[in-house]
Amino acid sequence: MKTNILTNNSSWLSELALPNLTKDEIKTIEQASVRLTFKKSETILKQGGQSTHIAYLVQGIVKFNFENELGRNLILTVVSAPKILGGANLLYQHNNLFSIIAIEICEVILVESPVIVDLLKQNAHFSFTTLQLTSEMYKKTILNFVSLAFKHKEGRIADIMIYLAENVYHNNKFQLSLTRKELAEFAGCSSENLIMTLSRWNKEHIIHNNGKAFEIVDPDKLKLISRNC
Amino acid sequence: MKTNILTNNSSWLSELALPNLTKDEIKTIEQASVRLTFKKSETILKQGGQSTHIAYLVQGIVKFNFENELGRNLILTVVSAPKILGGANLLYQHNNLFSIIAIEICEVILVESPVIVDLLKQNAHFSFTTLQLTSEMYKKTILNFVSLAFKHKEGRIADIMIYLAENVYHNNKFQLSLTRKELAEFAGCSSENLIMTLSRWNKEHIIHNNGKAFEIVDPDKLKLISRNC
DNA sequence: CGCGAGCTTGACGTTGTTCAACTAGAGTGG
DNA sequence: CCACTCTAGTTGAACAACGTCAAGCTCGCG
């Protein structure tokens, strides 16, 4: 599985500043790459593990999961393909800060970190583009941080429902691949609190929800809740 | 004030990967720089304002302040000189994500952003080092985020007191240049809650506190509170 | 048919915010 | 030099938000 990984997926490096890479550089990356399939709930990169690889998500949805000493989980974010993963982990030289876990079947290309690091050191445009990507992720984390600090849990839950519809499923109607417990870990509240909020919204026709099937009926009201709570 | 700014402070660019810059490049930065003094509570870079400059803090202490629509403030972090500021703001092309405000008299060198951006695009080592700096800040923000999500307010307050002693004042005994309200905005709680916690710790001889004078008497106990709350 | 995991609901206690009253110190004008 | 005011800091009580606990439900699977 070590050949033609990139040329078969010519799009993937575009996010990683493909235009700024030479053919030789692309070939080097290709030779240091492997393409793998992960099943639901399998760990792609493990928190605390050596950050030997960065990952490119070709297909599927993953969660960025942080586990503390007491075994409690916080989902930092959820992202869908196509996306570069592990960029955030990349430069904490030795260890991954959080785990990246498949929440659906995922196709992933793993690239050896040292190869990428060498390229970053050599190719300014590649490095600059990566810096921009990192900054963008950084910005999102700060906004997430701010939302957690200011908002009531109801506002947080509104935030993540809007986020999932807009940025993960790209539709107001979706089959959720997270459990209630995971949703709660994303919002940073208890699963009971999350469930009560969702079922209240269901009664108030802000969302329609039946098991894993979700539909955001009144996005404006949800955004209002996000602002005011 | 447009000459010899850098050579007079030869240390300042070392954090910004000075070894990776040529003499010409340093001269370019120097010509695009200005050195200013800010009084306590003056804004160095304003949230929402155009990010036309990045800043290097030569002397003093600043807070990174985020203000929401309702006028409530959250202090993202507090840092002391010497430090590069605005790196986080740098690449959100148009607007600063948060304000940087002096909480003591500060000496600051402001550099025009486009000059730095051009260098980043041209010089891979400079770009890579900046990427590492950004990653490091990113990491700290994530850990701060996690602490806010998991911990009770008492744990948060322990965190910021430890942080201030270790990373800002570099001493267990210090004259705090933040008000109680600002401390609360840093911990993400009400000022009443913060005051009650500090005065309880004072009685329990975990800290000694008289007005602005603080001393951390029992750092181990504080770290224990940080872990368990 | 029964078991277990995920989900749901309500009661209850804890944590933390808000509100209101009060104190101490610093600055101001008569 | 003394009121006066203004702000920061402090305290306690009432109240709301939220998590925990305990019980019951549902659905898929052996």
Side-chain angles (χ1 to χ4, degrees):
Chain A
M1 287 278 272
K2 282 231 170 193
T3 53
N4 284 336
I5 290 170
L6 304 184
T7 37
N8 284 347
N9 303 277
S10 55
S11 76
W12 92 265
L13 267 179
S14 57
E15 248 193 288
L16 242 173
L18 184 63
N20 300 320
L21 293 171
T22 66
K23 282 200 173 166
D24 277 352
E25 287 172 336
I26 291 174
K27 194 158 189 179
T28 307
I29 293 182
E30 196 169 301
Q31 285 169 347
S33 301
V34 61
R35 188 184 176 123
L36 295 174
T37 302
F38 290 87
K39 289 195 283 284
K40 188 183 168 95
S41 90
E42 283 187 333
T43 299
I44 298 166
L45 297 174
K46 184 158 174 63
Q47 178 177 338
Q50 289 196 309
S51 43
T52 52
H53 292 81
I54 71 156
Y56 178 74
L57 184 64
V58 179
Q59 180 68 263
I61 302 175
V62 300
K63 61 174 176 178
F64 288 26
N65 191 78
F66 188 98
E67 183 178 353
N68 76 355
E69 321 82 50
L70 306 170
R72 283 186 58 187
N73 293 298
L74 179 69
I75 295 180
L76 299 170
T77 190
V78 173
V79 302
S80 58
K83 205 84 167 187
I84 292 168
L85 313 175
N89 280 323
L90 174 62
L91 293 166
Y92 310 136
Q93 282 93 350
H94 299 306
N95 298 94
N96 295 323
L97 192 53
F98 45 80
S99 291
I100 295 181
I101 301 172
I103 61 168
E104 279 187 359
I105 294 177
C106 287
E107 288 282 306
V108 177
I109 294 173
L110 290 170
V111 189
E112 294 165 22
S113 297
V115 172
I116 299 287
V117 170
D118 281 350
L119 283 182
L120 286 169
K121 284 180 182 167
Q122 286 160 26
N123 185 324
H125 273 88
F126 179 52
S127 195
F128 182 72
T129 310
T130 307
L131 181 55
Q132 283 184 308
L133 273 179
T134 306
S135 294
E136 193 55 38
M137 291 174 62
Y138 188 11
K139 177 181 174 177
K140 282 187 181 152
T141 300
I142 289 177
L143 292 175
N144 205 3
F145 179 43
V146 165
S147 129
L148 189 65
F150 283 134
K151 289 186 186 177
H152 289 188
K153 301 303 180 179
E154 192 175 351
R156 283 285 295 166
I157 297 170
D159 278 351
I160 65 164
M161 295 312 291
I162 293 166
Y163 174 81
L164 288 172
E166 289 184 356
N167 297 91
V168 177
Y169 296 101
H170 309 292
N171 198 320
N172 277 338
K173 222 168 169 173
F174 53 88
Q175 280 288 323
L176 185 69
S177 35
L178 291 167
T179 64
R180 307 296 186 205
K181 184 164 164 291
E182 284 174 318
L183 271 186
E185 286 166 357
F186 196 5
C189 67
S190 66
S191 58
E192 290 90 336
N193 193 339
L194 177 118
I195 287 164
M196 292 298 270
T197 305
L198 288 183
S199 78
R200 196 175 63 251
W201 287 349
N202 209 2
K203 279 172 204 145
E204 293 168 2
H205 303 293
I206 297 170
I207 62 169
H208 280 167
N209 162 230
N210 187 0
K212 297 289 190 185
F214 281 81
E215 182 180 1
I216 295 180
V217 180
D218 195 339
D220 292 337
K221 201 156 212 168
L222 218 48
K223 279 172 189 172
L224 199 70
I225 292 169
S226 162
R227 255 206 312 284
N228 297 341
C229 285
Chain B
M1 287 275 273
K2 284 233 172 196
T3 53
N4 284 337
I5 289 169
L6 305 185
T7 39
N8 284 348
N9 302 277
S10 55
S11 76
W12 92 265
L13 266 179
S14 57
E15 251 193 287
L16 243 173
L18 184 63
N20 299 320
L21 293 171
T22 66
K23 280 200 173 161
D24 276 354
E25 288 171 336
I26 290 174
K27 195 159 191 181
T28 308
I29 293 182
E30 196 170 297
Q31 284 168 349
S33 300
V34 62
R35 189 183 175 122
L36 296 174
T37 302
F38 290 87
K39 288 195 285 283
K40 189 182 167 97
S41 90
E42 282 187 333
T43 299
I44 298 166
L45 296 174
K46 185 160 171 60
Q47 179 178 339
Q50 289 197 308
S51 44
T52 52
H53 292 81
I54 72 156
Y56 178 73
L57 183 64
V58 178
Q59 180 68 266
I61 302 176
V62 300
K63 62 173 175 177
F64 288 25
N65 190 77
F66 188 99
E67 181 177 355
N68 75 355
E69 322 80 49
L70 306 171
R72 282 187 58 187
N73 293 299
L74 179 69
I75 295 180
L76 300 171
T77 191
V78 173
V79 301
S80 57
K83 205 82 167 188
I84 292 168
L85 312 175
N89 280 324
L90 172 63
L91 293 165
Y92 309 136
Q93 282 92 352
H94 300 305
N95 299 93
N96 296 323
L97 192 53
F98 46 80
S99 291
I100 293 180
I101 301 172
I103 62 169
E104 278 187 359
I105 294 176
C106 287
E107 289 280 307
V108 176
I109 294 173
L110 290 170
V111 189
E112 294 165 21
S113 296
V115 172
I116 298 286
V117 170
D118 281 350
L119 282 183
L120 286 171
K121 284 180 183 167
Q122 285 159 26
N123 185 325
H125 274 87
F126 179 52
S127 196
F128 181 72
T129 310
T130 307
L131 180 56
Q132 283 183 308
L133 273 178
T134 306
S135 293
E136 193 54 40
M137 290 174 63
Y138 188 12
K139 177 181 175 177
K140 281 187 182 152
T141 301
I142 289 178
L143 292 175
N144 204 5
F145 179 43
V146 166
S147 128
L148 190 64
F150 283 133
K151 290 186 185 175
H152 289 186
K153 301 303 181 181
E154 191 174 352
R156 283 286 295 167
I157 297 170
D159 277 352
I160 66 163
M161 295 313 292
I162 294 167
Y163 175 82
L164 288 171
E166 290 184 355
N167 298 91
V168 177
Y169 296 101
H170 309 292
N171 199 319
N172 277 337
K173 221 169 170 173
F174 53 88
Q175 280 288 322
L176 186 70
S177 35
L178 291 166
T179 64
R180 306 294 192 224
K181 184 164 165 290
E182 283 173 318
L183 270 186
E185 286 166 355
F186 195 6
C189 67
S190 67
S191 59
E192 290 90 338
N193 194 339
L194 178 117
I195 287 164
M196 291 299 271
T197 304
L198 288 183
S199 78
R200 197 176 62 250
W201 286 349
N202 209 3
K203 279 170 206 149
E204 294 168 3
H205 303 293
I206 297 170
I207 62 169
H208 280 167
N209 162 231
N210 188 0
K212 297 288 191 188
F214 281 82
E215 182 181 0
I216 295 181
V217 180
D218 195 339
D220 292 335
K221 201 156 212 167
L222 218 48
K223 279 172 189 173
L224 198 70
I225 292 169
S226 163
R227 256 205 311 285
N228 297 340
C229 287

